[in-house]
């Protein structure tokens, strides 16, 4: 997975012209416009945009992409969901860059179609898919993994993204087990295939965080972390960019992250996390 992740990074760096800057603006805008059109012309008039595998196999290939432009709900819930996913997408695009975010969203779009194809072939399920539910959920999980402590209002109750992500993951798992228990293996497999881009993009982080959990379990690791915290207090800052030297004390609004591809622990600011020479052993 790490090699595939590195290959994606190289591809995005070498092909910046394939990026669609502000992609979520177009997705959200299309959802809003098509919802208004459906109010006047009827939702059935938009069926030619939905993902229908049987129609795709008959040559209507545009359905592999256009289904994400269709709204999945209406009224106030549509506005809330569009604002929420626009915020998630814009944040991820600023963090990853337009090329990588475009690759992530488009790959999720095609993987969802592949998942529906698996359900069609395995279970014989013939249904149309409207909206980018799985694609947006993969985007939500990506944001939660990148900013686990970010706060969001759930029915006016502030909750951290990591807890909301765990709740959604549990619901996802329940749906998969329910479908598997009913013998609908294609339906059970569909969300797993649809979310593969999440596992590909974050596989290095999954492994690094698992190593951190094991590392923290050792007494010497706890002592090391305590020594680091004491040293940081003496220095007067918590994070310092290894490239430009800016700290979170001097620039409190600047975001700092640690590079999982560098040997050792090296911190970088948001301007250099994707623009630096990796440390090697």
């Amino acid at each position: 997975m790490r090699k595939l992740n590195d290959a994606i990074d190289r591809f995005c760096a070498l092909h910046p012209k394939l990026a669609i800057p502000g992609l979520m603006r177009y997705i959200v805008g299309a959802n809003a416009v098509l919802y208004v059109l459906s109010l006047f012309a009827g939702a059935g008039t938009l069926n030619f945009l939905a993902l229908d595998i049987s129609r795709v196999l008959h040559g209507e290939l545009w359905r592999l992409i256009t289904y994400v432009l269709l709204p999945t709900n209406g009224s106030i819930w549509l506005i809330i969901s569009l604002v929420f996913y626009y915020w998630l997408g814009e944040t991820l695009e600023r963090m990853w860059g337009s090329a990588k975010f475009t690759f992530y969203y488009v790959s999720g779009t095609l993987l969802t179609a592949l998942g529906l194809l698996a359900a069609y072939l395995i279970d014989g399920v013939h249904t149309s898919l409207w909206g980018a539910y799985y694609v947006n959920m993969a985007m939500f999980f990506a944001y939660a993994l990148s900013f686990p402590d970010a706060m969001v209002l759930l029915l006016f109750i502030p909750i951290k993204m990591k807890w909301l992500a765990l709740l959604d993951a549990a619901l996802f798992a329940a749906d998969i087990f329910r479908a598997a228990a009913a013998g609908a293996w294609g339906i059970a497999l569909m969300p797993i295939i649809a979310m593969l881009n999440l596992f590909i993009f974050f596989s290095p982080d999954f492994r690094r965080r698992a190593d951190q959990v094991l590392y923290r379990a050792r007494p010497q690791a706890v002592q090391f972390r305590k020594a680091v915290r004491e040293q940081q207090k003496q220095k007067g800052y918590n994070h310092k960019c290894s490239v430009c030297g800016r700290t979170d004390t001097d620039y409190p609004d600047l975001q700092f992250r640690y590079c999982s591809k560098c040997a050792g622990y090296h911190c970088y600011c948001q301007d250099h996390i994707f623009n630096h020479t990796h440390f090697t052993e």
Side-chain angles (χ1 to χ4, degrees):
M1 284 292 188
R2 178 178 289 274
K3 291 183 179 180
L4 181 57
N5 191 275
D6 291 341
I8 292 174
D9 286 339
R10 288 195 298 271
F11 178 84
C12 294
L14 294 173
H15 301 87
K17 293 183 178 180
L18 295 179
I20 305 177
L23 175 61
M24 285 308 297
R25 301 174 194 173
Y26 302 112
I27 301 294
V28 168
N31 273 255
V33 170
L34 290 177
Y35 174 71
V36 174
L37 289 177
S38 69
L39 295 178
F40 293 97
T45 59
L46 302 178
N47 282 335
F48 72 98
L49 298 176
L51 179 57
D52 187 326
I53 292 299
S54 63
R55 304 307 304 171
V56 171
L57 295 177
H58 282 83
E60 298 180 6
L61 299 181
W62 66 84
R63 294 175 180 267
L64 294 173
I65 298 295
T66 56
Y67 75 94
V68 301
L69 306 178
L70 295 172
T72 56
N73 45 32
S75 67
I76 187 63
W77 296 111
L78 176 65
I79 298 175
I80 293 174
S81 63
L82 291 183
V83 171
F84 181 63
Y85 288 122
Y86 172 77
W87 169 59
L88 296 182
E90 285 288 295
T91 304
L92 289 175
E93 183 176 351
R94 288 195 298 269
M95 182 178 70
W96 285 343
S98 296
K100 189 171 182 177
F101 177 74
T102 300
F103 189 98
Y104 187 77
Y105 201 91
V106 173
S107 65
T109 301
L110 298 178
L111 284 170
T112 299
L114 182 61
L116 190 62
L117 175 62
Y120 178 78
L121 296 177
I122 297 173
D123 298 332
V125 175
H126 184 193
T127 184
S128 296
L129 183 63
W130 284 55
Y133 173 73
Y134 290 115
V135 184
N136 288 337
M137 286 305 297
M139 185 171 65
F140 163 71
F141 283 125
Y143 184 94
L145 287 169
S146 301
F147 307 100
D149 294 322
M151 301 296 293
V152 65
L153 291 178
L154 179 62
L155 299 177
F156 304 102
I157 301 175
I159 183 174
K160 289 186 177 181
M161 292 293 290
K162 60 183 178 182
W163 304 125
L164 192 58
L166 286 174
L167 175 61
D168 285 331
L171 295 175
F172 250 76
D175 289 340
I176 293 172
F177 286 124
R178 191 179 300 111
W185 297 104
I187 297 297
L189 191 61
M190 179 182 170
I192 298 176
I193 296 176
M195 305 289 276
L196 279 178
N197 60 338
L198 175 71
F199 297 104
I200 293 172
F201 272 64
F202 284 89
S203 58
D205 285 350
F206 292 147
R207 182 175 180 180
R208 176 173 56 83
R209 291 179 185 183
D211 291 341
Q212 289 176 348
V213 171
L214 294 175
Y215 188 74
R216 284 196 295 266
R218 299 199 297 266
Q220 58 268 35
V222 177
Q223 295 173 3
F224 171 76
R225 289 175 59 85
K226 182 178 179 181
V228 170
R229 287 196 297 267
E230 291 178 352
Q231 185 180 26
Q232 289 173 343
K233 289 180 180 179
Q234 294 176 359
K235 291 180 178 179
Y237 59 83
N238 293 321
H239 304 291
K240 180 180 180 181
C241 180
S242 299
V243 176
C244 64
R246 290 184 291 182
T247 67
D248 58 345
T249 301
D250 297 330
Y251 299 88
D253 295 331
L254 205 62
Q255 295 183 5
F256 292 85
R257 294 174 61 84
Y258 286 85
C259 179
S260 60
K261 298 177 182 178
C262 288
Y265 295 93
H266 296 280
C267 182
Y268 301 93
C269 67
Q270 62 191 40
D271 296 329
H272 295 109
I273 183 62
F274 300 110
N275 182 26
H276 66 269
T277 302
H278 295 300
F279 286 86
T280 57
E281 294 180 349

